[in-house]
Amino acid sequence: MPIYSAPIRDLQFVLHDVLKLSQSDLPGHDELDRDFTEAVLEAAGKLASEVLAPLNIVGDRQGCRLENGVVRTPDGFDRAFEAVKEGGWTALDCDPEYGGQGMPYVMGVATGELFVSANMAFNMYQGLTHGAYSAIHAHGTDEQKRTFLPKMVSCDWTGTMNLTEPHCGTDLGLLRTKAEPQDDGSYLITGQKIFISAGDHDLAENVIHLVLAKAPGGGEGTKGISLFIVPKFLVNEDGSLGERNGVSVGALEHKMGIHGNATCVMNYDGARGWLLGDLHKGMRAMFTMMNEARLGVGLQGYACAIPAYQNALAYAKDRLQGRAVTGAQNAAAAADPLIVHPDIRRSLMDQKSFLEGARALTLWGAHLIDRSNMAGDADAEGLVSLMTPVVKGFLTDKGFDTTVLAQQILGGHGYVEEWGMSQFVRDARITMIYEGANGVQALDLVGRKLAQDGGKHVMAFFDMVKSFCKEQSDNEALVADFIAPLKAASKDLQTAAMFFMERGMKNPNDALSGSYDFMHLFGHVTLGYMWARMAVAAQAALDAGEGDAGFLRTKLVTGRYYMKRQLPMTATHLARIQSGAAPVMELEAEAF
């Protein structure tokens, strides 16, 4: 069975040495000292490694079953779900008014990494509930909040979001699900939704669906869409469950991965629902959930690769194959371990440097969300909006690549199901597709986010990196290996953005043909920025004689690898972008 060990020390390093969480001016952050966050993470890590991880392979092999209209989850999922609920993990960063613990969002993300790494399919049941909770918390009436949120915070009731239909995915303006207004203020929802993660299951008493539908008078396209709360069981005035609503599971999807999560076809046959937010403004309300979900999927992209890396590393240290080219390293045995070979080291360093950079980027993004939500910081909100497609698209692309690299280290054993590496690859693959396929994320980044608020937020990012580099210009230990490469990469990113500004208006295809490369270019710069910040923190601790010197030196070596071997990819992406639309669009469709 594959192993998983919670990376508590590295999470603590990012939270305290890099983000300096307890020194933040945000409410409640002064209570998040090292001892407190370590206790939280240790408890979450124990649950993840001892309870959730052993069920990962069970969920993969058994999958979910639809029996007489009831969705059954894999063996052991029910007991594990109760353990998660009893530990208060579903309520960690939720509003205390509704039973939450009120911790910052960044702590929810940090513990979320541990749960996703241990069992991604299982964690989706509570993860999607959190997104639905956030949408109702932001846009619901007081009555809706009182009715639904306490039960969703505890995960006695779980939540979903219903967007996609058989004939429309990204283009939601084509959706056909209808909402008919009733005299009592409710609506009757009729239509079919597909690919609904955690759409139904036996882990909770009720499932609260958030459903996009078109009500009369909304007009064509997305402007006519509204968002509705549609519970599986209707809720009585006293909060008890009433009769079954007109919503049912038509089928379970047979998927490549995440078999332990029930991905449902949902049929709405005059199901009773209630408007969430303003009429015909459903996309605004849904984006509250979608943006959180996209950041969560970015986390899934790298978190799913962490156990793949851990297992590949263990195998590389244990498996004896060949001799080191410089001479035997294990003379007492017939061969040396795989890890002595440079190409195995290259693969492991690619994995390690990406995963640690991705962790820092995700926690930094979560901290920005806290700053936006707790302090009403519009600049932080704008930066998060800009970064969301980068986090989702880049981290899931590279996260999947990382699982494949890990699988490759095991050779033939990586292709055999009993070793578990295949599951990591299959599970990670969905992250590049759902919550907006990565090509759409790239189009969103270039087509919308760069120009948002007159380009204010991307300019703020450039200024932030420039200011950081200037502050560290006298840091002789780090300038050559970290600051100079970051400056060069940031210059590539700015040059690409200028190319879009100069060419995009005349020929939009010049910009859109380079959008995917731009997303990856931006991703590399953000990870370079994270690695430079981590290097500053590690070097400062070493200079002060604080912390684990071995850990800190390892951090610097890993960062130098990223800056030398991965960050130079920005030049390649820039060259592709500057080639314009011609190489992409020149071939006529019928010639393919």
Side-chain angles (χ1 to χ4, degrees):
M1 180 180 292
I3 60 170
Y4 171 65
S5 177
I8 307 300
R9 182 167 56 174
D10 204 65
L11 284 163
Q12 285 281 86
F13 173 76
V14 176
L15 291 175
H16 295 287
D17 295 271
V18 180
L19 297 180
K20 301 186 184 302
L21 205 61
S22 62
Q23 299 175 34
S24 171
D25 58 353
L26 296 177
H29 280 58
D30 58 335
E31 301 174 2
L32 301 177
D33 60 32
R34 286 181 186 269
D35 289 342
F36 178 79
T37 59
E38 183 174 20
V40 172
L41 293 173
E42 288 283 0
K46 182 178 175 66
L47 177 63
S49 60
E50 296 181 5
V51 178
L52 304 187
L55 291 174
N56 197 35
I57 197 167
V58 175
D60 185 58
R61 292 177 177 175
Q62 290 188 6
C64 297
R65 311 180 307 280
L66 180 59
E67 298 176 348
N68 300 318
V70 178
V71 177
R72 304 294 185 188
T73 52
D75 293 346
F77 271 42
D78 54 350
R79 294 187 298 275
F81 202 67
E82 287 303 312
V84 170
K85 289 166 56 179
E86 289 171 5
W89 299 107
T90 64
L92 198 71
D93 61 334
C94 295
D95 190 340
E97 184 175 349
Y98 304 104
Q101 298 181 42
M103 289 191 198
Y105 178 65
V106 69
M107 287 302 297
V109 170
T111 56
E113 180 200 299
L114 305 178
F115 297 148
V116 171
S117 291
N119 196 326
M120 174 175 157
F122 174 89
N123 192 67
M124 290 170 65
Y125 292 102
Q126 65 163 335
L128 286 157
T129 304
H130 191 285
Y133 153 87
S134 296
I136 296 173
H137 190 271
H139 302 284
T141 64
D142 289 342
E143 182 180 358
Q144 288 172 340
K145 294 177 185 178
R146 287 193 301 269
T147 299
F148 296 107
L149 293 189
K151 292 287 190 178
M152 295 178 75
V153 166
S154 66
C155 268
D156 289 334
W157 300 352
T158 60
T160 72
M161 65 176 179
N162 289 234
L163 291 77
T164 307
E165 299 183 5
H167 58 282
C168 76
T170 300
D171 190 355
L172 290 172
L174 299 176
L175 70 79
R176 297 171 183 163
T177 300
K178 300 296 183 183
E180 301 176 15
Q182 304 299 297
D183 292 340
D184 63 356
S186 67
Y187 289 76
L188 297 183
I189 310 299
T190 302
Q192 186 179 77
K193 300 289 185 175
I194 64 172
F195 304 154
I196 308 306
S197 299
D200 197 72
H201 51 83
D202 55 3
L203 302 178
E205 301 168 347
N206 204 2
V207 182
I208 311 304
H209 301 287
L210 299 191
V211 184
L212 287 179
K214 288 189 174 182
E220 298 298 319
T222 57
K223 294 181 180 179
I225 294 175
S226 300
L227 184 61
F228 299 90
I229 301 174
V230 187
K232 174 182 175 180
F233 288 97
L234 298 176
V235 182
N236 298 321
E237 289 187 6
D238 63 359
S240 64
L241 296 184
E243 64 184 34
R244 177 71 182 257
N245 206 354
V247 52
S248 61
V249 179
L252 290 180
E253 303 289 359
H254 298 281
K255 312 183 296 288
M256 176 179 175
I258 55 169
H259 296 154
N261 194 267
T263 305
C264 302
V265 175
M266 302 300 302
N267 295 324
Y268 294 87
D269 300 305
R272 194 167 296 277
W274 287 264
L275 183 67
L276 177 61
D278 296 328
L279 187 64
H280 309 314
K281 302 292 184 182
M283 292 304 295
R284 176 176 173 269
M286 181 58 84
F287 266 111
T288 298
M289 189 172 185
M290 287 174 66
N291 284 337
E292 179 177 320
R294 285 172 174 172
L295 289 168
V297 172
L299 181 149
Q300 286 181 336
Y302 83 84
C304 192
I306 290 169
Y309 164 71
Q310 291 181 353
N311 283 272
L313 176 61
Y315 187 87
K317 289 181 176 181
D318 182 67
R319 176 75 165 175
L320 302 180
Q321 291 286 285
R323 287 294 189 191
V325 69
T326 55
Q329 302 294 303
N330 186 25
D336 290 330
L338 282 173
I339 200 167
V340 307
H341 303 300
D343 192 59
I344 297 295
R345 291 289 190 97
R346 170 202 58 80
S347 177
L348 289 171
M349 288 300 290
D350 277 350
Q351 296 169 54
K352 180 177 173 62
S353 64
F354 164 71
L355 292 172
E356 293 179 16
R359 174 179 295 119
L361 173 59
T362 304
L363 292 175
W364 175 61
H367 193 43
L368 286 174
I369 289 175
D370 278 329
R371 184 160 293 283
S372 170
N373 292 341
M374 292 182 167
D377 189 330
D379 292 335
E381 182 180 4
L383 193 54
V384 167
S385 179
L386 172 71
M387 296 305 303
T388 295
V390 179
V391 170
K392 196 283 180 185
F394 181 70
L395 295 192
T396 59
D397 275 354
K398 301 300 288 185
F400 174 73
D401 289 348
T402 299
T403 63
V404 173
L405 285 172
Q407 182 189 39
Q408 184 75 11
I409 285 180
L410 273 71
H413 291 136
Y415 200 67
V416 175
E417 288 292 341
E418 67 186 83
W419 287 78
M421 301 302 284
S422 171
Q423 183 185 355
F424 298 134
V425 173
R426 290 184 284 103
D427 285 356
R429 185 63 183 87
I430 187 57
T431 64
M432 302 160 69
I433 299 172
Y434 64 9
E435 299 307 335
N438 286 355
V440 175
Q441 301 299 323
L443 296 178
D444 179 47
L445 175 63
V446 171
R448 294 179 62 246
K449 298 300 176 60
L450 287 185
Q452 194 171 30
D453 295 330
K456 171 184 176 181
H457 306 301
V458 72
M459 294 305 298
F461 178 83
F462 293 148
D463 289 343
M464 179 176 61
V465 173
K466 182 179 179 180
S467 297
F468 171 82
C469 291
K470 186 175 181 180
E471 290 169 3
Q472 300 300 324
S473 60
D474 294 330
N475 193 334
E476 295 182 3
L478 302 178
V479 167
D481 289 341
F482 289 92
I483 307 307
L486 177 59
K487 288 174 67 175
S490 181
K491 184 178 179 181
D492 286 342
L493 184 63
Q494 294 178 61
T495 301
M498 287 299 298
F499 176 84
F500 291 153
M501 291 178 62
E502 294 168 358
R503 301 278 290 273
M505 292 297 292
K506 298 176 183 177
N507 181 9
N509 282 339
D510 274 337
L512 299 184
S513 295
S515 61
Y516 211 93
D517 279 287
F518 187 80
M519 181 177 73
H520 274 249
L521 198 169
F522 209 149
H524 278 298
V525 172
T526 56
L527 256 64
Y529 176 52
M530 290 298 107
W531 269 116
R533 289 184 60 175
M534 287 191 284
V536 169
Q539 188 64 55
L542 281 171
D543 292 344
E546 300 173 347
D548 183 337
F551 171 83
L552 296 169
R553 284 194 291 268
T554 297
K555 187 65 67 175
L556 289 168
V557 171
T558 306
R560 279 195 292 270
Y561 179 90
Y562 192 88
M563 304 306 269
K564 291 178 180 296
R565 297 281 302 215
Q566 292 295 324
L567 195 57
M569 280 299 299
T570 60
T572 299
H573 290 301
L574 176 60
R576 292 174 179 169
I577 290 166
Q578 290 177 324
S579 71
V584 176
M585 305 299 294
E586 187 175 13
L587 192 64
E588 296 295 332
E590 55 271 16
F592 276 86

